[in-house]
Amino acid sequence: MAAAPPTQTSPLLTPEQRAAFARDGFLVLPGFVRAADCEALLARARELVGALDPSSLRSVFSTVSQTRTADEYFLESGDKIRFFLEADALLPDGSLRPEVSKERALNKIGHALHDLDPVFARFSRQPALAQLCGELGPSAGLSDPRVVQSMYIFKQPRIGGEVVYHQDSTFLYTDPPSALGLWFALQDATEENGCLYAVPGGHRRGLSRRFRRSRPDEQAATGSAVTFDEIDPQVLAISPAEEVPLVAAQGTLVVLHGLLPHRSGANRSERARDAYALHVISAHCRYPADNWLQRDPAFPARGF
Ligand code: FE2
């Protein structure tokens, strides 16, 4: 009797989709996740925000030593669940505008939802994501993936701010580069409410700059706990003619090469545009000790 052939998972992507990712540096996959799963994350985020004491945020963003406290709150967030505010929700002294509710004031929740919250953890470790990283990873220098960061990204009606052109490898620097972004549209993202924009092929321009923790002497000189090392500013000198909007209906997954320049528009509409993003890096690449995102060594980033 002949032995049964080994079971093989059929590919998730077509050869054309893999080629498009290698060529463009991004891939838009409509309907990758179910609407019900998007709604579950929206509801879970609402619960987390509902349980949040706004005065705890006020102590971070409106104390006298505001910059320093806010820096620490951010720099310690790599292995925690922390809440970040929208700049337009704050008065010049750093306090919340009285007319803005805490639900409308938030910009982001980060950066370890995928490890610490059961609802986000389940979503973040769907087997299909491991398979996707296996199929697209080689184009982005990614093998043996580690899920290093998660962000629930609000784009609030009217006040949701623009995120300017950047590369994710600036913030999740590895040597060599290996970052891959998985961006899920939890609600329809359009040009009106702040969808993503990207430069097709821009991932071949190299890294523009690196974001890291400042050395003590730098912090003493500049007062800032974080520093950008400029490498090639031309990479992000992008004209409107070069970019394309990545319009994404609810349930769409946008995969972004870590070196792809991308941005998102402001939301001046009445419709929220919430998204969830995961970032993955390769276990085989060097992860510098002065990268902004650090985790407790007892609680390392895991794969899928
Ligand atoms: Fe990004």
Side-chain angles (χ1 to χ4, degrees), residues 149 151 153 163-164 166-169 171 181 183 196 256 260 262-264 277 279:
Q149 172 176 274
M151 296 189 287
I153 307 163
V163 176
V164 299
H166 66 279
Q167 296 164 299
D168 292 338
S169 288
F171 302 96
W183 187 98
L196 294 171
L256 299 163
L260 182 77
H262 61 283
R263 69 175 183 97
S264 66
H279 286 93

Side-chain angles (χ1 to χ4, degrees), residues 267-303:
N267 186 358
R268 297 291 174 243
S269 82
E270 298 297 329
R271 295 182 60 195
R273 191 238 66 183
D274 288 8
Y276 180 57
L278 290 170
H279 286 93
V280 179
I281 56 170
S282 177
H284 302 301
C285 298
R286 190 176 68 90
Y287 190 84
D290 61 355
N291 272 6
W292 88 262
L293 193 158
Q294 298 293 333
R295 295 177 57 127
D296 184 332
F299 182 39
R302 295 183 291 119

